[in-house]
Amino acid sequence: STFKQACAILFTNTPLFDIILLDLSLPDCTGISLIKEIVAIALNAPVIVLTGYADLNFGVRSLSLGVSDYLLKDELTSITLYRSIDYNLERKRTILELAESEKKYSQLFHLSPLPMFVFDWETLIFLDVNDAFIKNYGYAREEIIGLNLEKIKPCEATIMPETMPLNEAQYQENSSGILKHLKKNGDVIQVDIQSNFIQYKG
């Protein structure tokens, strides 16, 4: 019934809550200030705002502050509330599964004993390298991230973007096998390359 009471409950029980329904007209805190405070202590629990404000700009702003949904009291029905709860619980589950998947990918990538790197298909810029790459090639991570793939290619093995394969199938046929790479100290090494297309942080 009050913001103070909500804080006391959330601070001690947040992991037990699947979702939070927030009335924006509490006697001791209202509006944007209330949203900011509750979202900050809600952890992973989706926050559905229930309000009498029929202001579209207010609704959009509340969503930008981390609210999962925005429902008008005057238009609220059992069906709309049920759909909102169901949708936001499903979205929460999907987000958690995605986060777990990304965590596993990160562990597989960074802990692999084989040198691995990710580069942007269009610019050939390094996006990420693992610890084994750093150890084998002699670069610090901050040195190599943002550099062009050409940095590890000997002059005679230069990749020109306009000659690279145009699609994934062609790339698979032309990007694997024994190639020459250049370490930071100038040593030329032979590497057995295996590569794939991935979606990386969008």
Side-chain angles (χ1 to χ4, degrees):
S1 59
T2 67
F3 169 63
K4 183 178 179 180
Q5 184 182 25
C7 285
I9 295 171
L10 287 172
F11 271 125
T12 56
N13 297 291
T14 299
L16 299 178
F17 290 104
D18 295 310
I19 203 158
I20 296 170
L21 304 178
L22 179 63
D23 189 327
L24 288 191
S25 302
L26 298 182
D28 52 345
C29 193
T30 61
I32 295 297
S33 298
L34 177 58
I35 290 173
K36 289 180 177 179
E37 295 284 354
I38 293 296
V39 167
I41 61 177
L43 298 182
N44 288 324
V47 178
I48 298 176
V49 164
L50 308 173
T51 180
Y53 296 112
D55 184 346
L56 179 60
N57 291 330
F58 181 87
V60 170
R61 187 177 178 195
S62 68
L63 292 172
S64 71
L65 294 173
V67 166
S68 296
D69 205 353
Y70 176 86
L71 302 177
L72 295 177
K73 291 179 183 177
D74 292 343
E75 300 174 1
L76 192 63
T77 67
S78 58
I79 296 297
T80 58
L81 183 59
Y82 173 81
R83 285 178 178 168
S84 179
I85 291 173
D86 189 48
Y87 168 77
N88 284 290
L89 287 177
E90 179 62 21
R91 184 169 68 172
K92 173 190 173 183
R93 185 188 64 77
T94 302
I95 290 172
L96 290 177
E97 287 180 354
L98 181 60
E100 182 63 24
S101 175
E102 289 179 348
K103 181 181 177 181
K104 289 178 180 177
Y105 154 76
S106 180
Q107 290 174 339
L108 287 171
F109 179 80
H110 288 291
L111 298 179
S112 171
L114 299 175
M116 300 174 74
F117 58 92
V118 182
F119 69 94
D120 182 83
W121 171 246
E122 295 181 352
T123 65
L124 305 184
I125 296 296
F126 281 102
L127 302 176
D128 203 357
V129 297
N130 70 350
D131 293 341
F133 179 96
I134 292 169
K135 180 179 178 181
N136 282 271
Y137 285 76
Y139 288 96
R141 181 172 278 103
E142 56 271 16
E143 288 180 308
I144 197 72
I145 301 301
L147 292 180
N148 193 285
L149 189 60
E150 299 284 346
K151 197 69 177 177
I152 62 170
K153 298 288 184 180
C155 293
E156 66 271 20
T158 298
I159 287 180
M160 299 302 292
E162 61 268 21
T163 65
M164 293 185 74
L166 299 178
N167 58 50
E168 184 171 347
Q170 292 176 323
Y171 181 76
Q172 296 299 340
E173 292 176 3
N174 291 276
S175 63
S176 299
I178 305 297
L179 300 175
K180 290 181 179 180
H181 274 185
L182 195 65
K183 297 170 68 171
K184 183 181 178 181
N185 65 7
D187 289 348
V188 176
I189 57 175
Q190 284 193 322
V191 293
D192 186 359
I193 293 291
Q194 298 296 324
S195 55
N196 289 287
F197 273 82
I198 63 167
Q199 285 291 329
Y200 180 76
K201 296 182 178 179

